[in-house]
Amino acid sequence: MMILRTTALALILLAPAAHAESLLNVSYDPTRELYREFNEAFAAHWQAQGNPAPQIETSHGGSGAQARSVIDGLNAQVVTLALAGDIDRIAQDTGKLPEDWQTRLPHNSSPYTSTIVFLVRDGNPKGIADWGDLTADGVEVITPNPKTSGGARWNYLAAWAWAEMNGRDPQDFVGQLFANVPVLDTGARGSTTTFAQRGIGDVLLAWENEAYLALEELGEDSFDIVVPSLSILAEPPVALVDGNLANDEQRALAEAYLDYLYTPEGQALAFKHFYRAWDDSAADPEDVARFPELELVTIDDLGGWATLQPEHFGDGGIFDQIYTVR
Amino acid sequence: MASRAHLVQRTAIPGLGLSAGITLFMLLLVVILPIGALLAKGASFGAANVWEVVNRPRVWAALWLSFRLSFLAAAFNLVFGVILAWVLVRYRFPGKRIIDAAVDLPFALPTAVAGIALTALYAPNGMLGSLTNQIGWQIAYTQWGIWLALVFVGLPFVTRTVQPVIEEIETEVEEASATLGAGRLHTIRHVILPMLMPAALTGFALSLARAVGEYGSVIFIAGNIPLRTEIAPLLIVIQLEEYNYDAAAAIGIAMLVISFAMLLAINLIQIWSRRRIGHV
């Protein structure tokens, strides 16, 4: 009897409160600041159109772990993750969104993009200018583990692409690069902390937005950003999880939320938070001018996630071989 | 007679049957079901596949690292925890209450907070790390760092299990030993330690078990380099990141089996030492 009552009570306490106008955006680590501001801007925009105030929540974590939560039943109406592969996995495993989800929004469903740059210590004491310098003796490179971090997969593939274009054996080059890594954190934020606050390493391979954020928050006189000759176009995509929509009102809200990312206002916020975006009509020219031009290869140039993921990061893949075979 | 006495247990708490039932049900729900689910996952994966996942150099290296450092941390805690408990029970000094309360902090602290605090302290530019680095001894991002984090999270287990036993040892026992002509060392070895042994071993087992499964506090200070500073729980997380639930369960099962064997060995030692020393 008591168990029953306790169980009933527990169920009541654990049951999600049903709000028609609520939205959960499941995102990855480095978008924390972006979505904090975007959610406010969108709520204001939504109310200005005569709607009641929406309840928008955003959850952050490693991209893969976030995708797994959604697969395991986290009721996210919107996902904004680091890799298309993570959203593909949600589509495959749950059927809650169509497999061709990436065609539903412009620019491969990526309202903002980024790339991988180097953050070095003030004055660049080791003289690091390009990927080739990262394998030199005595240079310590900080990057998260590509097995646990979506961002690190971009780091790894950018290095791979550079080696391919510069006549180096890519596997050998990337192997040498990772031999220079003294600490492999599990996520991008962890690596930034290791480099910037713990003082480990000579160069941090980072999302461009993370590098600028580190400059802003930790002091411009401590670090410099070095832009390599070639890097990768990182496209963190967004998607609607149709299967998690409770009703038409929530669908309207979720669709408006994603569309707002593509409006001049939404794009201006992306620029402000150091993402490269598509539409700079409403953006602060200073935010836009910040980004240097560089050659960017895309994931499709390298073969697409469907082949890259298992080949490089799967069990026994090239990344595993880097550490176990030699 | 004896078996009769067991059947008709009289206790002040009424409803023994009911409370035992609830306890067993909760135990089933909270402990046995999840472990059963893990084993079922492994069974559906197949023993050969489980072995294939576990029998990789990188997995062996991580398991060896995790269990070796957990053992070393628990061994340190066994010695230091008993000394700490002894000091807390037998001596009076200013600030004793605060230290006594502080022993429990590792229990209360979220493991990630502990990990970040330890890393900040022992990183090459940290308060203590910068000192040790001057003599060429790096702690954070090496196996020393992992060991330190495991000592931190495991210490209270030994101290808190041994403390009540020490409180029960009357000073008269030591005095009696001394009166009968025993030296200090003799008294410690033959009178005090045997009485502490069972509780200390329990604390050792708890500390070991906690260290083996530790993830949050270790991950920040470990460095996580495969074959060098990669702990087994991280490998499980890596498999999960790959959506490879089966391989994650396989490594989990390997850890479960090793832990079980170690705890069984400790229990056997305990039984053996009880028999030798008699009931305390």
Side-chain angles (χ1 to χ4, degrees), chain B residues 223-263:
Chain B
N224 306 323
I225 302 292
L227 303 177
R228 293 218 312 266
T229 52
E230 187 173 63
I231 55 167
L234 175 62
L235 276 187
I236 296 180
V237 173
I238 285 176
Q239 295 295 349
L240 290 178
E241 287 292 327
E242 283 295 299
Y243 306 98
N244 213 339
Y245 296 88
D246 287 331
I251 302 174
I253 288 169
M255 294 191 72
L256 204 62
V257 169
I258 301 173
S259 294
F260 186 76
M262 286 175 88
L263 293 178

Side-chain angles (χ1 to χ4, degrees), chain A residues 2-3 62-65 67-68 71-72 85-86 89 93 145 147-149 153 181-186 194 196-200 309 313-316 319-320 323-324, chain B residues 22 25-26 53 56-58 116-117 119-120 123-126 138 141 215 219-220 222-230 234 237-245 247:
Chain A
M2 212 178 84
I3 295 182
S63 188
R68 248 181 358 263
I71 290 170
D72 291 343
D86 286 328
R89 195 70 199 206
D93 286 10
N145 188 339
K147 301 279 274 191
T148 54
S149 157
R153 287 180 207 168
V181 175
V183 178
L184 271 179
D185 282 290
T186 52
T194 300
Q197 293 185 338
R198 310 273 176 264
I200 303 275
Q309 176 66 33
F313 310 114
D315 247 352
F319 185 72
D320 281 348
Y323 278 108
T324 46
Chain B
I22 292 174
F25 175 73
M26 292 310 276
V53 169
R56 293 176 186 168
R58 191 165 159 197
I116 288 171
T119 313
N125 65 356
Q138 191 179 333
Y141 313 118
Y215 178 76
I219 215 70
F220 298 98
N224 306 323
I225 302 292
L227 303 177
R228 293 218 312 266
T229 52
E230 187 173 63
L234 175 62
V237 173
I238 285 176
Q239 295 295 349
L240 290 178
E241 287 292 327
E242 283 295 299
Y243 306 98
N244 213 339
Y245 296 88

Side-chain angles (χ1 to χ4, degrees), chain B residues 160-182:
Chain B
R160 288 300 185 229
T161 16
V162 175
Q163 223 171 344
V165 180
I166 298 178
E167 270 161 10
E168 277 181 16
I169 302 178
E170 312 268 334
T171 335
E172 283 85 351
V173 177
E174 287 161 61
E175 286 166 2
S177 171
T179 328
L180 293 171

Side-chain angles (χ1 to χ4, degrees), chain A residues 42-323:
Chain A
F42 172 74
H45 162 80
W46 184 247
Q47 281 173 277
Q49 292 187 326
N51 297 299
Q55 276 199 335
I56 302 171
E57 288 176 313
T58 308
S59 138
H60 296 275
S63 188
Q66 294 289 77
R68 248 181 358 263
S69 310
V70 177
I71 290 170
D72 291 343
L74 180 62
N75 202 24
Q77 290 78 39
V78 164
V79 286
T80 55
L81 295 176
L83 302 171
D86 286 328
I87 302 182
D88 279 340
R89 195 70 199 206
I90 299 173
Q92 278 168 32
D93 286 10
T94 67
K96 285 180 175 174
L97 67 165
E99 302 235 341
D100 67 345
W101 60 271
Q102 211 171 358
T103 60
R104 294 197 293 183
L105 287 167
H107 302 299
N108 281 333
S109 285
S110 301
Y112 40 80
T113 67
S114 191
T115 186
I116 301 302
V117 298
F118 305 161
L119 193 68
V120 297
R121 307 213 174 267
D122 188 39
N124 196 1
K126 298 264 166 122
I128 292 159
D130 210 346
W131 291 98
D133 301 322
L134 301 184
T135 54
D137 278 344
V139 170
E140 285 192 336
V141 183
I142 303 296
T143 166
N145 188 339
K147 301 279 274 191
T148 54
S149 157
R153 287 180 207 168
W154 297 109
N155 295 350
Y156 168 104
L157 289 172
W160 187 277
W162 179 88
E164 263 184 357
M165 310 280 169
N166 286 273
R168 303 272 294 261
D169 174 42
Q171 182 162 347
D172 203 42
F173 176 74
V174 175
Q176 283 175 29
L177 195 158
F178 274 91
N180 277 355
V181 175
V183 178
L184 271 179
D185 282 290
T186 52
R189 264 300 142 86
S191 275
T192 308
T193 307
T194 300
F195 179 76
Q197 293 185 338
R198 310 273 176 264
I200 303 275
D202 302 302
V203 51
L204 171 74
L205 307 186
W207 291 89
E208 190 172 45
N209 63 304
E210 279 285 279
Y212 278 108
L213 199 67
L215 274 198
E216 191 183 74
E217 303 213 330
L218 305 163
E220 300 209 8
D221 43 357
S222 317
F223 307 102
D224 292 333
I225 289 178
V226 170
V227 180
S229 64
L230 175 148
S231 196
I232 196 158
L233 179 73
E235 293 178 298
V238 302
L240 198 71
V241 187
D242 306 71
N244 284 344
L245 294 167
N247 49 40
D248 289 346
E249 287 84 59
Q250 202 179 28
R251 173 179 285 274
L253 176 69
E255 279 175 352
Y257 184 79
L258 289 183
D259 287 341
Y260 194 64
L261 282 168
Y262 286 93
T263 62
E265 295 76 28
Q267 297 273 294
L269 281 177
F271 275 115
K272 184 179 168 195
H273 288 276
F274 315 113
Y275 281 97
R276 293 172 185 238
W278 306 97
D279 179 351
D280 58 7
S281 56
D284 184 340
E286 254 182 59
D287 291 338
V288 183
R290 187 158 33 209
F291 298 116
E293 292 281 329
L294 74 162
E295 191 185 343
L296 293 174
V297 295
T298 67
I299 276 302
D300 290 334
D301 296 337
L302 293 171
W305 279 118
T307 43
L308 290 171
Q309 176 66 33
E311 193 179 312
H312 288 271
F313 310 114
D315 247 352
I318 295 172
F319 185 72
D320 281 348
Q321 292 170 28
I322 282 173
Y323 278 108

